[in-house]
Amino acid sequence: MRTGLYPGTFDPVTHGHLDIFQRACSLVERLVIGVAINRDKGPLFTLDERVEMIEANCNGIAKAAGVEIVVHPFENLLIHCAEEVGASVIIRGLRAVADFEYEYQMVGMNRALSDTIETVFLMADTEYQPIASKLVKEIARLGGDISKFVPPDVEECVRQKFA
Ligand code: ADP
């Protein structure tokens, strides 16, 4: 059974992430969504809130795809997390050029740490490609409409944070 690990901060989960969850399900039988605690990034949502929002939105995807999705918080090294959950692939979403430089370095350094885990990049549907959690928060903070970028329950949680 092939397990994939899709790591991120998911602060909060967006339609871009959900699209990648769905695409990843066609590559693996078990998908572990690794939620990085990421204290340095100063997330808007607590770890529990981020996990809850992901869980609320990935059950339907898991059922439709017939894939087991597990939401797994982690604070250790990505490669160690992958080994811990038995993942043979790391899945990353790739947006435009901006993501490339960072991802390129990550793959190189992770490969030096473990040569048995491959990284696979997926691109979201064109409609969802420009979405970034950071911008969703910025738009919401300034009173803009984020309904095109996140599912309704997430929109409500973001609104409450800025209320
Ligand atoms: P960020 O890197 O913006 O802080 P995350 O850490 O939550 O966001 O992102 C987790 C993963 O999801 C990364 O691989 C990131 O490139 C990917 N991702 C985020 N938004 C999108 C999107 N709109 N389309 C494709 N991939 C995305």
Side-chain angles (χ1 to χ4, degrees):
M1 183 157 95
R2 190 190 295 275
T3 296
L5 170 65
Y6 177 23
T9 313
F10 307 105
D11 185 42
V13 68
T14 68
H15 280 311
H17 297 125
L18 294 174
D19 189 274
I20 301 293
F21 292 173
Q22 210 164 347
R23 287 170 198 280
C25 282
S26 62
L27 302 178
V28 298
E29 283 86 43
R30 184 166 164 267
L31 179 65
V32 178
I33 300 169
V35 186
I37 296 178
N38 242 335
R39 292 180 223 281
D40 294 351
K41 263 192 173 178
L44 175 66
F45 290 96
T46 64
L47 179 66
D48 286 349
E49 288 168 333
R50 286 180 279 144
V51 166
E52 246 173 64
M53 287 185 280
I54 296 170
E55 279 176 345
N57 284 282
C58 70
N59 286 342
I61 296 173
K63 251 191 211 149
V67 165
E68 183 191 355
I69 299 187
V70 180
V71 185
H72 177 83
F74 76 104
E75 197 170 21
N76 52 347
L77 203 58
L78 178 60
I79 282 294
H80 291 164
C81 174
E83 286 165 356
E84 195 180 286
V85 301
S88 54
V89 281
I90 291 171
I91 291 157
R92 294 288 288 171
L94 198 62
R95 287 162 292 192
V97 219
D99 280 340
F100 185 78
E101 184 74 29
Y102 176 72
E103 297 295 340
Y104 172 82
Q105 267 191 310
M106 283 280 284
V107 170
M109 296 194 75
N110 281 335
R111 196 170 277 169
L113 296 173
S114 167
D115 204 14
T116 58
I117 299 172
E118 287 300 336
T119 303
V120 171
F121 294 99
L122 297 172
M123 288 176 82
D125 190 90
T126 38
E127 185 187 350
Y128 302 133
Q129 277 179 25
I131 304 174
S133 300
K134 192 178 163 198
L135 294 177
V136 166
K137 287 179 280 189
E138 191 63 9
I139 293 168
R141 190 177 68 79
L142 298 170
D145 177 8
I146 56 165
S147 61
K148 286 198 179 117
F149 313 130
V150 294
D153 61 315
V154 174
E155 183 187 355
E156 188 48 39
C157 291
V158 177
R159 196 174 293 156
Q160 279 174 18
K161 280 279 176 193
F162 290 114

